[in-house]
Amino acid sequence: MLIFGVPALLGHAVLPGDDMTQNFPLRVLAGRDIRAGRLPLFDPYIWSGAPLLAGWNAGAAYPLTMLFAVLPGVAAWSAGMVITWAVAGLSMFCFLRGLRLGPLASFLGALSFALAGAMSAQVTHFGLVAGMSWVPLALLAVRRLSGPPGQPGQPGQPGQQLAVRLSWTALLGASLGLVILAGEPRAIVDGAVVVAGYAIWQVTRLRRRALPAALSVAGGMLLGLGLGAIQWLPGMAAIATSQRGNGSLALFSSGSLPDRWLLLTLVPDLLGGSGSLSQPSFFGSYNLTEVTSYVGILPLVAAFALLARVRLRPRLPEWLIWQVLAALGVVLALGGNTPAGALLYRVPLFGGQRLQSRNILVLDLALAVLLAYWVDHPIPVRGAAGSRPDAFRRKVSGLPHGGRPRGETLLGLLPPAGVLAIVVLSVTWGAGLLRWLGTGAAASASVIGRLVPWLLPYGLIAIGAAALVVFGWRLRPAWRARLCAGIVVTDIVVFSVLAVVSVAPAGASSGTAAAGKPAGQARQAGGTALTLTARVPRPGVVRSVSPRPVSALGYQGRFAIYDPGLLDTTGLSALMPPDLNGMSAAGMPSIQGYTSLVDSAYAAATGSHDATGEGQNVLSPAAVSNGTLDQLDTSVLLTLPAYLTTGSAGAAGQGRRHLGPDQRATWYLGAAAPVARVSVPDAHARADAAAGIEIGLTTMSGTTQWFRGRAVSASELAIAVPAAVDSVAVVARAGNAAAALGAPSVVRRDGQVLVANGPLQNALVPPRWHLTAFDGSFAVFSDRFAAGPLTIEALPGEPAAGASVRYVSRGPDDPVKAMVTSAHGIRLVRAVAAIPGWTATWRPAHGAAVSLPVRADGLVQVVAVPAGRGTVTWRYRSPRVTAGLALSLAAALLISLFALASRWPRLFSWLARRQERSGDWDEELAAEPLERAGA
C-alpha cells in the first residue's frame, strides 16, 4: 500500500516504461469491452486491427483485469499492483513456512523475493511479475502433495487424506492457471521450470511412495493448463501466424545476458543505476531493468555457505534442488551467450522468445529460498549441550554437531569478497573495468568518477555480511537473527533507491531516469501543434505552441509515427502513441503498435516491427513511399526533423531527384529554418543553370519564393538569399531541361548546415505526402492517397456503377456493419488488417443471411457482396478461443469442486471405505489358493 497505493492517491501512479505505453492501455481497453458485455478479443487501435486476448500482453483473461471493468483505470491498476506484490510476498512466506522454516527466516526470504531483484526491477513489465507472483503458491501445493505422511495439513484418516489431497491439487491447478492467465509467456516458462523441477525432486525423494504424489501433481498441472486454456490456445494460434511463428536463433539470442554482466548480481549499479540523487544513470548497451538480478548479498552468502553442508549420505539435503535451480537460472539467462543456447532455441515455446535475461527470475527465486534455509540456522553453534541444535534442525539444515564452521566460513565469504573486489577495482582500475564489461571508453572515463561513490554502500553491506559469516557463530541466536534481518532490510532499501526508483536530489524535479539512452537521444527543442479536420490538407502549414494527442488533430483514418531512435520520448507521450490511443473510445487508430506479436505478412510489408522484436514507432521507408500504407487508410504520419535532414552530405544517401522538363522536386526540412543559402549537387550544373533551373523556398504559409540557380562550380548549383527566409521545404523546378539533382545543403542564418538526406527524405514526397502542420517537435504529413475505411471495386466482368456503401454502426475508422447497394454485386475492401479470425455475414433486405468468405487483398480484407440491397456485418473471434473457453470453464469447475472437498469429509470417508473394502476383498481372493495349497 505504501509503495503503490499512496503514490496513486497523490496523483503519481506507478506506471513506468512498458506499463504506461503497453500494459496499462491494453487493460483499459479490455476492461471497457468487459463492461460492455463483450469478450475482449480485438483491438482496433493498433496494427490496423490486432488480437487483444490472443496477443498475450493485455492479460485480458486475468482476474485482475476485471478490475478495469468496474474501477477507473488508475485505481484498477494501482489495486492490481498492490495485490500482485502482496501475493508474491505472502505466497512465498507460506511456502517457506510449509518447508518448516522459522517465521523470521520465511519473512526475510519472502521479502527478498518480492521486493528485491528482478521482481522489483521488472515492475515495468506487469505481466511478468504478475505471473511469477503465483509460483510460490504452486510450490506450496507441490510440497503438500509430495510431503511425508502425517505432515501438517495431511490428517491420518483415509477420507480426510483424500479430501485434503484434492484441495491441494486444486490449489496447484489454480495457481498455475493464474500464471498462464497473466499473459506473459516468459513467466509461464520460468514458472514451469521452477515448479516442474521442484516437483520432480520432491516426488523422486518419496521413492516407493511416489505414485500418489506424482498423480496428484500431474493432475494439478493438467488443471492449470486447462484453466489457462482461454489464454494459451488462442495465444499459440496467434504466435503461429505472427513474426515469431518461424523464430530464429538471432531472435532467441537477442537480449541474452552477457556473461561478464553476472557481476551485476553482486553490485547492481556497476554500470549506472536509476539516476537517484544525481547518480549516473545506466549507461550500458542494454537496459537496467532487463539485467537486474540483485536479491541481496545474504542470499548469495547462503547459496555458497550451504554448499559446505552437502552430504551424499545418508540423504541429500532437501534444499539442494534450489542450488540446482539457481545454476539453471543463470544458464537460461545467458541464453544465446552459452553453448547451450543452440539447444534451448529448439525447445517449444521457450525457443520462440527473446530477452533471455529475464530468466534471471529463476535464480532470484532460488536464492530467496536458500536465504530462508540459511537464516533459519545460518551457522552451526558452539558445542554446548544447551545450545546445540536438535536432531530435527540438524536433519533439515544439514548441520554438524558443533564447532567452528570453517568450510562454510570460507565459502560464505566469497560473495562479500567479490563485492569488495569490485568496489576496489572501480576505484583503482575504474575505466578499464568498465571497458572490460563492454562499455565505451569515452563513457567509462566520463562517468567513473561520479559512479564510485554510489558503489560504496554495497561495499559497506558486504563488510557487514562478512562480519556475520566470520563472527556470527559467537553471537546469541537472537542477536544473530537481528543482524541478518538488519542486513537484508538495509540491502533492499539501498537497492530500491539506487537501482529501481529514481529519487531526485533536493531542489530538483523528480522523474524517471531515461536509463540506457545514448547521449544523442536528447529531446528536440521547439515545436508546435495544430488543429485540422480535413483529410486533404489545406494550403500552408498550421502551427501553435503546445503538443497535443494525434486524435485531437482532427484527421480521419489511421496514423503512423516514425521515431525509431526515440529521440523525443516526452513528445511521444504527449502524442499518445498507438497503444495509448485505445484508452479512449474517441482515440485514433494506428497502423503501428507496441506489442510482442504482429501478423508476419503485415510486419514484413510495413516494417512496423523489427525482426528481433526491438524498436518502437518504426516503419519501412519503402512502405511509406510505395503506397503500402495507402490501403491501410493511413491519413497522417508524424516524424522528427532528424529523419529528414542530417548534418553530413554523405550521412544517409537519400535525397537524390531526377526531374524532367517542367517537373518539380521537393525536399522537406521537418522544421521551419531561417535559410540563408542553398547549394544543390548537379553533375551538369552549368548547363542546367543556363536552361533556367530554379530553386525555391516554401514558407509556413504555403507560398514559395523562387530564385534562379547559379552554377558556382561544374557540379554545384546554389542560391543566396538576401534576407533569410523561414522555410519548411526546398523546391526545385527544371524549366525546359531535365536534371539529376543531389540532396540540397541548407545553410541556416546561424551557420548550421542541414543536408536533406535523412532516411525518410525519399519517402515523404509529393504528390502522396504533404507537410500540413507541426505537433510539438514532430512534423505532420498527410497522405492524399489514403484509401478510406471501405472501398468499392467491381467484380470481374461486372460493372460497379451505381453501387454505394454506408456505415450503420461504429465509426468510419473501424466499421463493423455497413449497408451496401449494388446492381451486379461488388468487391468490398475493408481497411482492416487481414488476420485470421474474421468472418462476414450478408443479410439482404429480403431473404436469409449467408456467410461471406473474408479474403486478403494485400494487407487488408475483401468480401464479394452479392447483388441487391442489404447489410454486411464483420465479426472477429480469435482462432481456438471457443475451445479454450470451454476447457477453462471445465477446469474452473473441477478446481472449485476439488477445493470444496474438505467440506465433504463424509463423502470422501465413504469413498475411502469402499476402496479399502474392495482392496480387502481382493486380498482375500488372492490368498484363498495359497490357503488351499497349505491345507
Side-chain angles (χ1 to χ4, degrees):
M1 288 298 297
L2 287 174
I3 294 172
F4 301 114
V6 173
L9 292 174
L10 297 177
H12 298 281
V14 180
L15 277 166
D18 286 1
D19 285 342
M20 183 63 198
T21 57
Q22 179 188 83
N23 299 319
F24 176 65
L26 291 178
R27 282 160 176 77
V28 170
L29 177 60
R32 192 163 72 233
D33 283 349
I34 295 170
R35 186 166 57 248
R38 299 188 298 266
L39 288 175
L41 301 179
F42 184 67
D43 184 351
Y45 295 97
I46 61 175
W47 308 121
S48 301
L52 184 60
L53 169 67
W56 295 89
N57 294 108
Y62 189 54
L64 290 183
T65 305
M66 308 301 171
L67 293 174
F68 289 86
V70 295
L71 295 175
V74 172
W77 177 264
S78 300
M81 299 282 273
V82 170
I83 293 171
T84 295
W85 266 265
V87 166
L90 289 173
S91 62
M92 177 58 83
F93 179 81
C94 293
F95 170 59
L96 296 174
R97 292 290 285 150
L99 295 175
R100 297 171 290 176
L101 302 177
L104 178 64
S106 301
F107 174 76
L108 295 181
L111 197 68
S112 296
F113 170 69
L115 295 182
M119 283 291 288
S120 181
Q122 291 285 353
V123 62
T124 187
H125 302 119
F126 178 76
L128 178 61
V129 178
M132 289 300 294
S133 69
W134 296 103
V135 171
L137 207 58
L139 294 172
L140 174 61
V142 171
R143 168 70 179 181
R144 291 304 194 194
L145 291 171
S146 59
Q151 72 175 24
Q154 289 190 347
Q157 295 297 326
Q160 291 178 324
Q161 285 187 2
L162 179 59
V164 171
R165 184 172 291 278
L166 289 177
S167 297
W168 288 112
T169 302
L171 179 63
L172 177 58
S175 54
L176 291 178
L178 289 168
V179 172
I180 298 172
L181 293 177
E184 173 55 59
R186 178 69 59 193
I188 298 172
V189 170
D190 289 348
V193 168
V194 173
V195 175
Y198 183 67
I200 293 171
W201 171 262
Q202 285 290 101
V203 170
T204 54
R205 285 167 65 86
L206 293 175
R207 299 178 182 176
R208 295 181 180 179
R209 296 179 286 107
L211 183 59
L215 293 177
S216 300
V217 171
M221 291 181 174
L222 289 176
L223 284 176
L225 281 175
L227 183 62
I230 184 62
Q231 176 64 71
W232 68 264
L233 264 178
M236 293 301 290
I239 290 175
T241 60
S242 73
Q243 88 287 357
R244 296 193 181 183
N246 296 313
S248 63
L249 183 58
L251 175 69
F252 171 83
S253 300
S254 64
S256 296
L257 185 69
D259 51 1
R260 297 181 181 183
W261 287 15
L262 287 173
L263 293 181
L264 298 179
T265 60
L266 296 171
V267 181
D269 60 348
L270 180 58
L271 299 179
S274 61
S276 292
L277 307 172
S278 301
Q279 171 202 29
S281 297
F282 183 77
F283 51 84
S285 58
Y286 197 7
N287 182 287
L288 181 61
T289 293
E290 304 288 9
V291 298
T292 297
S293 166
Y294 184 79
V295 289
I297 189 65
L298 278 193
L300 290 169
V301 169
F304 279 85
L306 287 174
L307 289 174
R309 302 183 188 176
V310 176
R311 302 290 185 272
L312 298 180
R313 294 182 180 180
R315 198 179 190 194
L316 292 173
E318 65 180 25
W319 44 259
L320 187 61
I321 180 59
W322 298 107
Q323 302 277 9
V324 175
L325 288 175
L328 180 60
V330 172
V331 174
L332 295 179
L334 294 176
N337 293 327
T338 69
L343 297 177
L344 294 173
Y345 159 62
R346 302 186 181 278
V347 177
L349 183 62
F350 184 81
Q353 299 181 63
R354 66 186 189 99
L355 302 177
Q356 305 306 324
S357 60
R358 296 182 183 179
N359 294 316
I360 208 73
L361 277 160
V362 177
L363 169 66
D364 288 359
L365 189 149
L367 289 177
V369 176
L370 291 171
L371 170 68
Y373 271 108
W374 188 75
V375 169
D376 192 54
H377 211 112
I379 298 171
V381 297
R382 306 171 83 176
S387 61
R388 182 176 298 173
D390 58 23
F392 170 73
R393 290 288 185 183
R394 288 196 301 272
K395 181 179 179 181
V396 170
S397 59
L399 294 173
H401 285 278
R404 183 169 181 171
R406 299 185 185 278
E408 286 194 36
T409 300
L410 293 176
L411 289 176
L413 282 175
L414 290 179
V419 174
L420 292 174
I422 291 173
V423 174
V424 171
L425 285 174
S426 299
V427 175
T428 60
W429 186 51
L433 174 63
L434 297 184
R435 284 194 296 270
W436 180 77
L437 289 170
T439 61
S444 301
S446 63
V447 302
I448 189 61
R450 295 187 296 116
L451 178 65
V452 168
W454 301 104
L455 306 182
L456 297 180
Y458 294 103
L460 295 177
I461 294 172
I463 292 174
L468 174 64
V469 172
V470 175
F471 303 108
W473 69 286
R474 298 177 178 273
L475 300 176
R476 294 178 180 271
W479 283 102
R480 196 164 55 239
R482 291 170 187 168
L483 184 56
C484 288
I487 292 175
V488 169
V489 172
T490 302
D491 215 349
I492 290 176
V493 171
V494 171
F495 163 75
S496 299
V497 172
L498 297 183
V500 179
V501 181
S502 179
V503 180
S509 60
S510 61
T512 303
K517 297 293 187 297
Q521 294 185 358
R523 181 184 176 189
Q524 299 289 318
T528 52
L530 79 157
T531 302
L532 285 178
T533 57
R535 181 181 295 273
V536 178
R538 298 172 179 173
V541 180
V542 181
R543 66 180 301 170
S544 58
V545 177
S546 302
R548 63 174 66 186
V550 179
S551 59
L553 303 183
Y555 290 91
Q556 298 176 356
R558 291 191 171 86
F559 76 92
I561 299 175
Y562 188 90
D563 183 17
L566 300 180
L567 303 184
D568 186 359
T569 54
T570 304
L572 281 173
S573 299
L575 297 181
M576 300 288 284
D579 293 68
L580 291 175
N581 266 264
M583 294 172 61
S584 170
M588 185 177 182
S590 175
I591 67 168
Q592 296 165 301
Y594 185 46
T595 53
S596 300
L597 303 178
V598 60
D599 182 77
S600 59
Y602 187 96
T606 62
S608 56
H609 199 288
D610 285 352
T612 56
E614 299 173 350
Q616 302 177 44
N617 309 307
V618 299
L619 281 172
S620 165
V624 176
S625 62
N626 64 15
T628 298
L629 306 187
D630 299 348
Q631 60 181 316
L632 300 172
D633 193 19
T634 310
S635 60
V636 61
L637 183 148
L638 295 86
T639 191
L640 293 166
Y643 302 112
L644 291 166
T645 62
T646 68
S648 172
Q654 302 285 315
R656 188 168 182 82
R657 302 284 192 269
H658 294 271
L659 283 73
D662 297 324
Q663 289 184 344
R664 293 189 180 188
T666 301
W667 296 268
Y668 290 114
L669 304 180
V675 178
R677 185 177 183 274
V678 178
S679 61
V680 182
D682 183 358
H684 305 92
R686 291 191 175 92
D688 290 341
I693 193 169
E694 293 181 303
I695 298 173
L697 299 175
T698 302
T699 64
M700 293 284 291
S701 65
T703 61
T704 301
Q705 296 187 29
W706 293 100
F707 302 86
R708 184 70 178 264
R710 296 182 300 104
V712 295
S713 71
S715 59
E716 183 181 4
L717 291 171
I719 62 169
V721 184
V725 177
D726 285 340
S727 305
V728 296
V730 175
V731 187
R733 57 186 180 188
N736 296 324
L741 305 178
S745 295
V746 176
V747 181
R748 293 165 47 103
R749 184 168 47 200
D750 57 8
Q752 180 182 357
V753 178
L754 303 175
V755 183
N757 61 353
L760 286 184
Q761 191 58 249
N762 285 354
L764 294 173
V765 295
R768 174 170 282 109
W769 296 100
H770 287 265
L771 177 67
T772 56
F774 292 102
D775 190 6
S777 55
F778 286 81
V780 181
F781 291 85
S782 180
D783 183 2
R784 288 189 173 184
F785 296 165
L790 288 174
T791 305
I792 293 175
E793 295 180 355
L795 290 172
E798 300 289 346
S804 65
V805 60
R806 178 174 61 87
Y807 309 124
V808 177
S809 66
R810 298 291 290 269
D813 296 312
D814 183 34
V816 168
K817 187 181 294 185
M819 184 71 70
V820 180
T821 303
S822 66
H824 304 279
I826 58 168
R827 295 177 81 247
L828 188 58
V829 181
R830 182 175 179 236
V832 175
I835 59 175
W838 280 104
T839 59
T841 302
W842 165 250
R843 185 177 296 275
H846 303 285
V850 296
S851 295
L852 300 178
V854 179
R855 297 186 174 89
D857 183 11
L859 297 180
V860 296
Q861 305 170 14
V862 62
V863 293
V865 181
R869 183 174 181 271
T871 301
V872 178
T873 303
W874 289 267
R875 289 185 175 85
Y876 177 80
R877 199 165 187 85
S878 304
R880 302 182 189 172
V881 71
T882 302
L885 180 60
L887 278 175
S888 292
L889 292 176
L893 178 61
L894 284 175
I895 289 173
S896 301
L897 293 175
F898 287 2
L900 295 173
S902 59
R903 297 187 178 274
W904 302 327
R906 292 184 180 179
L907 172 62
F908 288 96
S909 296
W910 176 77
L911 290 174
R913 286 195 299 272
R914 287 288 301 267
Q915 183 180 7
E916 186 177 355
R917 290 172 185 171
S918 175
D920 294 343
W921 178 247
D922 291 340
E923 290 176 3
E924 292 174 6
L925 291 177
E928 186 176 357
L930 296 178
E931 293 174 356
R932 290 178 180 176

